[in-house]
Amino acid sequence: MLPPLPRLIGHRGVAAHAPENTLAGIRWAHSAGLKMIEFDAKLTGDDEAILMHDDTLDRTTDGRGKVRDLSLAELKKRDAGGWFGPGFAGERIPTLAEALALCGELGIAVNIEIKPCRGRAKHTAARVLQVAAEHWRPNWPLPLVSSFDTDCLIVAREKMPNWPRGFLLETRPIDWHDLLSVIQPATLNVGDTHWSASDWADYRATHLPIVVYTVNDGDRARRLIDQGAAALITDDPALLAPALGIRLS
Ligand code: G3P
Ligand code: MG
């Protein structure tokens, strides 16, 4: 069952204000008053689930190389905050377990985007869900599990059928209706720049909540909500909140 979606969901934590996919980002989201965040989960070379967007370390750490070629111990030596700003130097790549524990402690709901390294989709989905299930507490709201990779969503349906799935879409696939019946999503997570009016009408016709990513403009946010979007994933909630009449505390 899909827990109530807040209007605003932090992207990769709160990517405009803290290094993406880090514990610092989760703390920032909490202090900014967000009730839910999205982050990206993938596997290390030794099959540990971590938060990381890219397949390589290069952009968001002081290291280089492929995540899938490195162990968790090696990845933990890398600085995942200094690239963003000196105040975040020393921030480490979090494990999924560490991130979930912090979200649970702070009362933040999560959208776990399964982001497999190339060629590792089913294995990544199975392992990420296994770790998440092992660390889940019964009093936490169920996570929204999303992915662009339909294999990951099919594994999610098999392994954790009661956890709501978010069908991430860049463009509307041709076999759209077939995929809907296979995945049985709870939400459609739609890229903001890739839909036409007829796409949107089709999305609305499913009666599924539409979550739009990544929205960083107040006027745009207002228009999307007026058109029927249920929630917006944003790097900068403080930019959108006034346009939506939301008070973030
Ligand atoms: O889940 C929404 C959004 O995060 C998908 O795109 O590339 O930022 O992970 P990306
Ligand atoms: Mg993501």
Side-chain angles (χ1 to χ4, degrees), residues 11-12 38-40 53 113 115 168:
H11 185 225
R12 308 181 192 173
E38 181 263 9
F39 53 65
D40 307 291
H53 181 276
E113 183 191 339
K115 191 76 122 185
L168 264 168

Side-chain angles (χ1 to χ4, degrees), residues 1-3 5 36-39 41 96 100 110-115 124-126 128-130 132-133 136 141-149 152-157 159-168 183-189:
M1 214 179 53
L2 181 69
L5 283 174
M36 184 169 186
I37 58 164
E38 181 263 9
F39 53 65
L96 176 61
L100 294 179
V110 295
N111 170 194
I112 303 172
E113 183 191 339
I114 303 175
K115 191 76 122 185
T124 298
V128 163
L129 289 163
Q130 178 193 20
W136 212 260
L142 294 181
L144 178 63
V145 177
S146 63
S147 189
F148 288 108
D149 192 308
C152 290
L153 293 170
I154 290 166
V155 169
R157 186 184 163 197
K159 300 277 182 197
M160 299 302 293
N162 297 329
W163 283 9
R165 290 171 293 284
F167 188 6
L168 264 168
I183 294 165
Q184 295 187 3
T187 63
L188 300 178
N189 296 20

Side-chain angles (χ1 to χ4, degrees), residues 72-154:
L72 178 62
E74 289 167 319
L75 290 165
K76 278 288 189 184
K77 293 177 189 157
R78 304 277 51 101
D79 185 319
W83 68 276
F84 188 87
F88 294 101
E91 190 70 25
R92 299 293 144 188
I93 298 167
T95 63
L96 176 61
E98 289 166 343
L100 294 179
L102 182 58
C103 290
E105 179 189 320
L106 298 176
I108 295 182
V110 295
N111 170 194
I112 303 172
E113 183 191 339
I114 303 175
K115 191 76 122 185
C117 292
R118 193 177 293 273
R120 302 192 85 190
K122 288 183 179 174
H123 177 58
T124 298
R127 179 76 179 126
V128 163
L129 289 163
Q130 178 193 20
V131 170
E134 280 171 10
H135 290 85
W136 212 260
R137 299 284 173 270
N139 58 324
W140 296 352
L142 294 181
L144 178 63
V145 177
S146 63
S147 189
F148 288 108
D149 192 308
T150 49
D151 281 342
C152 290
L153 293 170
I154 290 166

Side-chain angles (χ1 to χ4, degrees), residues 211-227:
V211 179
V212 184
Y213 70 88
T214 305
V215 183
N216 291 321
D217 176 87
D219 292 341
R220 181 69 181 157
R222 183 69 262 163
R223 277 202 300 279
L224 286 163
I225 294 295
D226 289 346
Q227 282 178 269

